Amino acid sequence: MKTHIDNAALKELRQGFSGEILLPEDAGYDEARKLFNAMIDRRPAIIAQCAEVQDVVGAVTFGRRLEMEIAVRGGGHGVAGKALTEGGLVIDLRRMNGVSVDPDARTATVAGGATMSHLDRATQPHDLATTGGRVSTTGVGGFTLGGGDGWLARKFGLACDNLLAAELVTADGNVVRASERENPDLFWALHGGGGNFGVATSLTFRLHELAGVTALLLLWSPAKAPEVLRVYRDYLETAPDEVGGGALYITAPPEDFVPGHLVDHLAFVILVAYAGPEAEARDVAAPLLALGHEGEMIAEMPYADLQCMLDDPPGYRNYWSAEYLKAFPDEAIERFCERAGDMIVPSPSQHVLFPQGGAVAKGPTDVPISWRHAPWVVHPFGLWENPADDERGRQWTRRLREDLRPWASGNVYLNFIGDEGRERVIAGFGQENYQRLARIKAQYDPQNLFHLNHNIAPA
């Protein structure tokens, strides 16, 4: 890939460009290239901060003509840092963050650079929502195109299950629309296939009635975790679909509801994110509330506020992975709890177990997602400040996966992992789905222009 910028081509790109073009010497360049994962430090030759679809068309055409490596940035949350390229072109969509809600049709159309916060704040006044990520700063585009698992997934399905249409700028600079009726093969590929097929400039979603949610955050000392987790596992087998959430170890924050002996120490947490009012939530969660927790925060709130509750602080070094489980027996619980002792504490790291089931398991099977029927997912989510902790953080993540491998399905949600090799990418889709995706990739991006992602090689 070339890194030299042709001045005549750059002048042509600037003409009619509504956003802003940033070069390394420009003010704002260093801020614009920061990603959520502070481990990533790359210097693109040019950052095209697009303000409209034609800016994206111009940037794609420019990058292809100059044979530059192209990265596409939405939220910039991906742990592997694929939203940035060394010496290439970044197509930055963050200025394209508008959301249009049709409350009568119960749909929302979202520009390609919007975050979950933009979407949730727009739908909240109408008492409507759709499945989003578990933090407000996640980009809607990358989240959805990778599948999209979140607090509401057991009730409303994955984000891609609620995708009605998408608009993309493809590798040849064309603007293409995909839905069940328009380019249906491409629409199928966008249900998990990620950013392999073009730059998503617009996504339209189905919305659901949701006046509010209730968060129940229950804390215990780590010694109580195995006992509590066994009850939680059994509880989820019959819990209604309205129950989202997870079980996790965290560094307990200095909040009023946290006992003093847990502050800045490892704590075990059950989070119930209930799609409904507090009275219902307390009744449904009664088996968990009876377990003698040491601290609690229980509150009914707008869904958009729940989305902000566990926002990950920027500026930390990140390493994540995941393992999907076919079962979670007592031995697996013991291994999960023991490995929490390897976490970096204090830090914002999370040693997480998420339940699936509900609408996730009941959702459409004819989509390129291999992991939706696993009842559990283990998600070590590492964040720390000191580069000296990098190897320790990676080893904790890898060892947790290894500990739980006897019960693993072999499938994986690619939004939860970084660069883990081609076989893991295939495992995210399944072999047959991968082959079909590769044929669709060859139709829309035969030269693999969009390869900075969990890449599908053109057939």
Side-chain angles (χ1 to χ4, degrees):
M1 292 289 181
K2 295 180 180 179
T3 60
H4 174 70
I5 300 177
D6 179 88
N7 288 331
L10 179 59
K11 182 178 179 180
E12 183 179 341
L13 174 63
R14 289 185 186 276
Q15 292 175 351
F17 195 88
S18 300
E20 187 173 1
I21 304 294
L22 294 176
L23 303 181
E25 62 270 21
D26 291 334
Y29 169 85
D30 282 327
E31 185 63 29
R33 69 184 183 89
K34 287 182 181 178
L35 297 181
F36 179 74
N37 185 357
M39 282 188 184
I40 310 301
D41 183 17
R42 299 182 187 133
R43 297 184 63 83
I46 179 171
I47 300 174
Q49 296 185 316
C50 302
E52 59 183 33
V53 174
Q54 285 308 307
D55 288 351
V56 178
V57 172
V60 169
T61 303
F62 171 85
R64 188 186 67 246
R65 281 172 52 194
L66 270 64
E67 298 180 357
M68 301 185 78
E69 183 172 64
I70 293 178
V72 180
R73 175 172 185 156
H77 255 249
V79 67
K82 300 292 190 180
L84 209 58
T85 168
E86 183 66 39
L89 165 67
V90 174
I91 298 177
D92 187 339
L93 302 176
R94 284 176 291 173
R95 295 187 176 204
M96 299 171 61
N97 56 33
V99 178
S100 174
V101 178
D102 184 334
D104 295 327
R106 294 186 187 173
T107 62
T109 299
V110 183
T115 65
M116 285 290 117
S117 181
H118 293 120
L119 173 56
D120 297 333
R121 295 296 176 190
T123 59
Q124 190 72 62
H126 306 286
D127 289 340
L128 297 171
T130 195
T131 300
R134 294 179 174 91
V135 294
S136 69
T137 53
T138 300
V140 175
F143 169 77
T144 302
L145 299 182
D149 182 25
W151 300 129
L152 297 180
R154 282 175 44 85
K155 176 64 175 174
F156 298 136
L158 302 172
C160 71
D161 297 339
N162 292 285
L163 183 65
L164 299 175
E167 178 188 85
L168 278 78
V169 176
T170 56
D172 57 9
N174 287 329
V175 179
V176 174
R177 183 175 167 84
S179 66
E180 288 186 352
R181 295 184 178 183
E182 303 165 279
N183 300 299
D185 272 0
L186 176 60
F187 188 60
W188 174 87
L190 299 180
H191 287 68
N196 276 281
F197 309 97
V199 183
T201 53
S202 175
L203 303 165
T204 300
F205 294 95
R206 178 187 303 110
L207 302 177
H208 306 269
E209 287 189 20
L210 187 70
V213 296
T214 302
L216 299 92
L217 194 68
L218 312 178
L219 290 87
W220 288 266
S221 298
K224 304 287 184 63
E227 174 189 352
V228 173
L229 193 49
R230 285 191 290 270
V231 174
Y232 179 72
R233 173 200 60 196
D234 297 342
Y235 164 79
L236 258 295
E237 290 183 0
T238 57
D241 293 352
E242 286 79 7
V243 173
L248 60 160
Y249 288 86
I250 62 169
T251 299
E255 299 287 350
D256 291 342
F257 63 89
V258 177
H261 68 279
L262 288 179
V263 171
D264 288 335
H265 290 82
L266 192 66
F268 179 70
V269 175
I270 297 292
L271 171 62
V272 174
Y274 183 78
E278 182 177 336
E280 286 182 15
R282 285 182 176 272
D283 184 53
V284 167
L288 304 176
L289 291 169
L291 294 175
H293 52 277
E294 299 167 50
E296 71 172 36
M297 190 285 292
I298 301 177
E300 187 174 336
M301 63 185 71
Y303 171 61
D305 290 350
L306 171 67
Q307 289 285 76
C308 299
M309 196 168 75
L310 292 180
D311 273 3
D312 314 308
Y316 283 84
R317 305 174 75 79
N318 281 242
Y319 190 81
W320 328 328
S321 192
E323 204 68 67
Y324 281 73
L325 307 180
K326 295 178 289 186
F328 195 51
D330 288 354
E331 184 180 353
I333 287 175
E334 293 295 333
R335 293 191 186 187
F336 175 81
C337 294
E338 288 171 3
R339 189 58 66 187
D342 292 345
M343 285 176 61
I344 297 170
V345 177
S347 83
S349 294
Q350 301 172 19
H351 185 91
V352 188
L353 175 79
F354 288 131
Q356 293 209 119
V360 178
K362 299 169 192 171
T365 56
D366 184 28
V367 291
I369 292 174
S370 65
W371 41 269
R372 73 186 312 148
H373 296 293
W376 299 98
V377 54
V378 173
H379 181 35
F381 188 92
L383 303 94
W384 54 87
E385 291 184 279
N386 191 341
D389 287 327
D390 287 356
E391 187 55 29
R392 178 183 169 191
R394 291 189 184 103
Q395 286 299 323
W396 155 62
T397 298
R398 293 165 181 163
R399 287 168 180 163
L400 179 59
R401 281 189 55 211
E402 187 63 34
D403 287 346
L404 278 299
R405 196 156 287 155
W407 302 279
S409 69
N411 309 123
V412 64
Y413 174 35
L414 297 176
N415 281 1
F416 273 176
I417 71 170
D419 282 324
E420 296 185 5
R422 182 174 181 272
E423 292 307 312
R424 284 280 271 176
V425 172
I426 294 173
F429 306 120
Q431 184 67 51
E432 290 186 12
N433 286 332
Y434 182 86
Q435 292 172 354
R436 181 178 172 186
L437 289 165
R439 293 192 294 271
I440 298 170
K441 172 78 169 182
Q443 179 180 351
Y444 288 94
D445 185 13
Q447 302 305 315
N448 208 7
L449 186 71
F450 302 115
H451 63 270
L452 287 180
N453 42 47
H454 288 295
N455 193 236
I456 299 165

